[in-house]
Amino acid sequence: MSEATTDAARASERARAPEAAGGAHAVVEASDAGLSPRTGEPRRPWYVWAVAALFFVGAVLAVSGLLQMMWTCIDRPVGPPEARQMRNNFPTSSWLNGAVPNQPGDSVRIVLVIAQFALAMTVATLAVIVGHYAWRGFRWPRWWALIALAASATMLMINPLATASIAAIGLGALALWTPPLRRFSARWAEHGRYVPRPDDPGPVFYGPLPRYR
């Protein structure tokens, strides 16, 4: 290898050294600022995952209570085979089914089941939305969490399993108003305001370049 080639290689290494050092320095700064070196986004501490899990657990409990009610309200035969009768389980399957007078074959039973289905799905949907967007660092889920908590109170009309969703959603809603979660959403709001502009690529040529014409 000639001396000129060696000098050129050394000069190239010296030119790349500041860039490599700058890249490492940027990674360290990102880590110190609470940003993930891999994604460049704010880190998600364990309590952010825990709050999201609470809302998802609340959604699962609401749907599970609904499914339990639907399974329990099915009339089943009881007694010995020679004197078997159908037991009316509908009034005992949920508080609402027992509070509203109804008889087997009444259309009001269909209305009651549809109403409880709509309530449970509303609570589950709100809980999933709040949990997801709280995990993503938005600020507005803390207000929606209060709406989800108010809606979850309707689970008292179904059964104890669905009622347990009130506790999970309530704990998640309370946690969203604590200082750590508020600081987390503030970091995401600050991070979202910065949108890097791409470098100017210069003039763009369409068609054959001049040297090929």
Side-chain angles (χ1 to χ4, degrees), residues 58-70:
V60 171
L61 289 173
V63 175
S64 299
L66 174 68
L67 295 177
Q68 185 185 50
M69 181 275 297
M70 290 183 171

Side-chain angles (χ1 to χ4, degrees), residues 4-209:
T5 304
T6 303
D7 293 340
R10 291 175 179 173
S12 177
E13 291 178 359
R14 285 195 299 269
R16 287 195 301 266
E19 297 180 0
H25 183 64
V27 170
V28 172
E29 285 186 347
S31 178
D32 293 341
L35 301 179
S36 172
R38 182 175 60 86
T39 63
E41 297 176 343
R43 297 178 183 273
R44 292 182 175 90
W46 65 268
Y47 49 81
V48 175
W49 293 88
V51 169
L54 283 173
F55 284 104
F56 280 94
V57 168
V60 171
L61 289 173
V63 175
S64 299
L66 174 68
L67 295 177
Q68 185 185 50
M69 181 275 297
M70 290 183 171
W71 174 256
T72 307
C73 72
I74 300 175
D75 295 340
R76 292 177 174 81
V78 294
E82 62 275 6
R84 183 163 294 179
Q85 296 179 353
M86 296 299 293
R87 174 184 293 176
N88 184 14
N89 294 325
F90 192 85
T92 59
S93 60
S94 74
W95 179 89
L96 185 61
N97 293 342
V100 178
N102 60 85
Q103 296 297 328
D106 289 349
S107 59
V108 68
R109 291 192 169 190
I110 300 176
V111 175
L112 290 174
V113 171
I114 293 176
Q116 292 170 90
F117 177 84
L119 291 174
M121 288 298 102
T122 300
V123 172
T125 302
L126 287 173
V128 169
I129 291 174
V130 171
H132 171 71
Y133 284 99
W135 179 82
R136 292 192 58 190
F138 286 83
R139 290 179 174 176
W140 57 263
R142 70 182 64 157
W143 298 101
W144 278 53
L146 301 179
I147 300 175
L149 179 59
S152 67
T154 60
M155 296 297 96
L156 291 168
M157 295 188 294
I158 300 182
N159 53 29
L161 182 58
T163 302
S165 65
I166 302 176
I169 295 175
L171 288 174
L174 179 64
L176 286 180
W177 289 90
T178 57
L181 268 298
R182 295 177 71 121
R183 287 194 296 268
F184 172 74
S185 60
R187 286 200 303 270
W188 268 91
E190 182 180 357
H191 173 73
R193 284 194 294 267
Y194 173 70
V195 179
R197 299 182 60 183
D199 297 333
D200 185 10
V204 179
F205 294 96
Y206 295 93
L209 294 176

